[in-house]
Amino acid sequence: MSGVAIIEQAAVADAALHQGPARRGPGFAVYASCFILALVVLAAVWPHVLAPTDPYDIDPTSAFLPPSSAHWFGTDQSGRDAFSRVIHGTRPSLLIGLLSIATALAVGGILGLAAVLGGRAVDHAVARVIDVLFAFPGLILALICIAILGASPVTLAIAVGVGSSGGYARIIRAQGLIVSTSGYVAAARMLGHAPRRILFLTILPNIARPLLPLFTLGIGQCIVWATGLSFLGLGVQPPEAEWGALLADSRSYTALAWWLTVFPGAMIAVTSLSLTILGRYLQARFDGRDAA
Amino acid sequence: MAQFRDLAVAGARRLATRLASGLLVLWVSVTLTFLALQVVPGDPVKIIAGPGAVLTPDAVAALRQQFGLDQPAVERYLHYLLGLAHGNLGMSYESQQPVTTLIFGQLGSSVALTLAALSVAWIVALLGILLTAARSPVWGGLGRGFEVITSALPDFWLGLLLITAFSFKLHWFPAIGRGLSGLILPALALGIPLAGFLGQITRQSFEDAMAQPFALSVQARGASDLRLRLRHALRHALLPGIALSNWSVGWLLGASVAIEQIFARRGLGALILEAVQRRDFPIIMGSVVLIALVYVLVNIVTDGLTFLVDRRSQAGEARA
Amino acid sequence: MMRQVPGPRGRLLTAWLAAATLSLSATAAWAADQPQSGGTITLATFKEPRCLDPTVGGDVPQDIIAHMFTDSLISQTEDGAYHPWLATSWDVTDGGLTYTFHLRTDVKFSDGTPFNAAAVKANFDHWLDPKTGSANIAPQLTNLASVTAVNAATLVVKLKSANAFFLTTLANPSAGMQSPQAMARGNTLNCESPVGSGPFIVQKWIHGSEVIFTRNPNYNSPPPQALHTGPAYADRVVWKVIAEPATRFNALLSGEVGVLNGLPPEDYITAKSSQNIAIIDDFQPGVPWQVDLNTKRAPFNDVRVRRAFRYSLDAPAGLRSIFFGAYQPAGGPLSPNTPFYDAAVEHAYPYDIKAADKLLDAAGWTGRDAQGYRTKNGQRLTVHFPVYASTQPADLALYEQLQATAKKAGFDLQIEKQDDSKVYARQYSWDYDLYIDYWTVNTPGALTFIYDSDGLTSLDGGYHNNEAGISDPHLDALLAAGPATSDPAKQKQIYDEAQQIVSDDALAAPLYVYPSIAAFNTDKVRDVRTDWSVHSVTLYDAWVPKN
């Protein structure tokens, strides 16, 4: 499963935070990513605009038709339009990704900030909690969440979010420590600003800044991980079209109907790729501003 | 010599701290799992008995007693910790085999896959970096693009494509092969996305190292480009990648369940999935212990490596 | 008989059938070859049992394993006739209350202990011991009065009431004879390494991966329907679990696996057209794969809604598109190859949305909400269908098609995929409207397991067999009268009426006849049979061709 990817992505981001920023303007890849993401959002919000065919309308007599002008991505085992199912699958997939990363950043943020603001003892405690989050097998965490709360997109998102929060907590803590020992804070203290004011006007904004790229990078990775769990049959309920579930359905037919495997997977990969490219670009920009 | 002794003392102190916090992590993981399992719905005894199994209330009570489920949770918890301290992970409810036997039965396959995937990841990532990092923008762009694209690939999708193409269609690889030939495709499926991440993180430090003054001076001494890359820049660039690999180990061990399913491999992932679905609590607890332990140990080892390898920082510490 | 329980193809109590029809696509190519000894046969199936002792629980795969290492007292052929096996003959006296079995005296279990009447009695004790947890044999022997070993070669069994299907139970592979010495070790050990007198010996069970069998060199007790006598041909049999259907099938194509138990339906066509793949295309008697309709709560407490639901399903269309015609549609309470099957009810409920609409209107479900689902007093016509997370993809796809056609009649069919434990819990507490069911036995007695009001409760307060929740005194009386009579004409009359009631009441919606499709790679193995008895694979006659 790609849970590890989330940590790794965080590590990539982490490394980027402490190393020289890339100073480049948005290139072709960034524009292309934005365009793709715009389409993905459109598919999530108004799927009928892109795919007017009903994704649940069965027609057993036209099952397993290869891609054609009538069915761009072919048809599935029940004769449903695969293109329509992939497009309509965008909303649950994207929502799971967004909710996961929101959970991860919320948990990571609380832990990270507590470590920064709570003094030495709290910092030590948080460091151990983060250790536990890393050491605890993500698969077991997700499975236990699902066993307790039942298989649903929300459960999936919580499981993925909590499972990946360790990396974010570590980054936020590191960023917080840099900020709170930085010149701004010292200056603010010397100016006699109230601690609360320093927290809200100086520390928080500086911690929050790198979160946007992290958020962007994280959605993609969370989608990959969540679809991985969904692939195991732990996500949405049938007949809902969600990318992981579509892939799970397709796997008996890989030799017979390649299109059922290739397109949903490609959607996951392209979405995750676009988010990564955009996230990396944002990261470079924010770091660039930091350095300037 | 004094410097060396200081180093040894510092090292021992560091090791002791690490061990203590490792134990703490292990204990917290076990406790959290135990607590969570108290809330999980589903009665293990009814599942063992199975629908259709006409068990008398006496038989059910006997099963409960056999598994210690008739005792209060606190007692079971203490009993478990006591067993754990002696290396006893208990018996599986379902197969009534020692958990250690069941886990170690799967461990070989999981460790083999984990190591193979890590090897694939390192080979692919290092090849990419040695060939493309700190070269012309075109090469750099290609390498970077390759890394970003591979890191976005879902491993289970890659697995499906690989097995369909190379096993079902081309018959280059067995569908269920054991041994090396059966390891290649699943290792590629897990390793290629990992290579993307390794590559990204290593490239950054590699390019930094190549831009350092010492790189120029090595070059000025007449070393070849390859030698510079292999002997000097790479050594400095490896640390973040090593840290990353150590994070990956715990994950790969238990988390490759989709890949295991696709390639009909057994492994810890499959064992865990079944154990949770069948409420086989001792196996779940045992897997948490094992994976957390591996994480802690790998961390201590890499921490030690970092401590010893990174001579510059040590020298600095010793002097301070 | 068999019963859906955990996992995709659940617990099974199989019944006795006859030598299976082999539809071999490659017969001519190797018909002249002679069997030869030696070699290893690899068999792959979809699920690992929890115990190798076939009486503990009663899972599908345990039947194949039982055939490997045990022999039963008697065997049965498809025509319903009973034949000797470990019992050479038997007498039925006292109006069907006393059975006297005459046993072979020259058979030894593979641990060296002798097979005799005392051993048979020990097996009866083992089946009935609650600690064994037998879900297949024990429930069929509730009317057992006594078992007595008169001498080494003679066993007398007395029943409390006549049971026309008693011998069927003994012919079940799960009732294979095991060594008393091995059983005495207790369930834990006996599950790992059970001992019988069969053609193969359990050598090693690598949990989660494979069971390894070696040939029993002293085997001398094959049933009369076998193709040869003496020890089996193969040196070793490796019995593997491969859960992923596509991988399982491709391992067969490439020859990594010689025999497949449970050919994935999506690969049926490919298998048929492959030169070196032989298919054993068969199906099992009893109650077909169906969904039981819970009559204990709304909306299925109204027979009109149940009938409407049946009219709204188009399972045959799904079977054509998803199962590629590999599975045969079912329409009646019994599968067509079950004795006393009544063809009159097979087509009682064709796919007919208009008929469904009419019935639902009459039942008061006249409103329609924004999504097009029917409503009554503001309540949506929702049908809850819990299914195992591990349900095979093809089955799930079929349910999705049913969902789509039921929607046309206004049903909101909710497929609720949950993990096994949750699904059980819902079964225990009657929290479902539809529940998957099947029961395989080659007697119409299968109906008793599913519709008798005795099945409304269970001893441990959990699982109930009567998933429809039906309690009909007249049906109970019919189901009790069936086994008590031995007059076939009377039995036919009784079971015709019972099938009519179950169909009229729409207590279940049958989907397909439970298949027994096995396949083997003729480059790797020959003469695989879905044996002389049950429709599960047997490898006694199988041999490995030398290339």
Side-chain angles (χ1 to χ4, degrees), chain C residues 193-379:
Chain C
S193 56
V195 176
S197 61
F200 295 94
I201 300 169
V202 178
Q203 193 196 29
K204 195 176 178 196
W205 181 7
I206 305 167
H207 284 264
S209 169
E210 58 198 33
V211 184
I212 297 166
F213 296 89
T214 49
R215 176 172 45 204
N216 177 358
N218 305 316
Y219 187 60
N220 62 352
S221 49
Q225 299 87 344
L227 297 177
H228 77 294
T229 55
Y233 294 120
D235 291 338
R236 281 169 88 236
V237 172
V238 179
W239 187 99
K240 256 185 193 316
V241 184
I242 306 178
E244 191 73 14
T247 311
R248 193 163 69 233
F249 179 65
N250 280 281
L252 175 78
L253 282 184
S254 65
E256 291 163 74
V257 158
V259 187
L260 213 63
N261 172 49
L263 178 68
E266 57 271 13
D267 298 315
Y268 187 73
I269 303 293
T270 315
K272 280 235 146 166
S273 60
S274 302
Q275 278 300 305
N276 60 341
I277 303 295
I279 299 181
I280 303 171
D281 197 346
D282 212 338
F283 54 94
Q284 290 178 318
V287 170
W289 187 263
Q290 64 181 20
V291 282
D292 292 338
L293 278 56
N294 182 2
T295 62
K296 286 170 83 92
R297 71 179 198 185
F300 286 150
N301 53 1
D302 184 334
V303 68
R304 290 170 297 189
V305 181
R306 297 201 295 273
R307 286 178 184 155
F309 183 71
R310 285 207 59 181
Y311 280 122
S312 76
L313 304 182
D314 188 10
L319 294 175
R320 278 192 301 275
S321 79
I322 302 160
F323 293 79
F324 301 89
Y327 289 16
Q328 181 178 331
L334 290 174
S335 297
N337 57 348
T338 319
F340 304 114
Y341 156 77
D342 181 10
V345 292
E346 181 68 36
H347 302 289
Y349 297 92
Y351 175 49
D352 186 346
I353 295 294
K354 278 197 188 116
D357 279 338
K358 209 184 273 176
L359 283 160
L360 289 173
D361 287 341
W365 291 93
T366 46
R368 290 272 185 174
D369 66 12
Q371 280 91 16
Y373 297 114
R374 282 177 182 270
T375 57
K376 180 169 151 182
N377 305 329
Q379 288 283 86

Side-chain angles (χ1 to χ4, degrees), chain B residues 239-257:
Chain B
L239 282 181
I242 290 175
L244 192 60
S245 311
N246 113 50
W247 281 336
S248 321
V249 169
W251 274 97
L252 283 172
L253 266 184
S256 41
V257 56

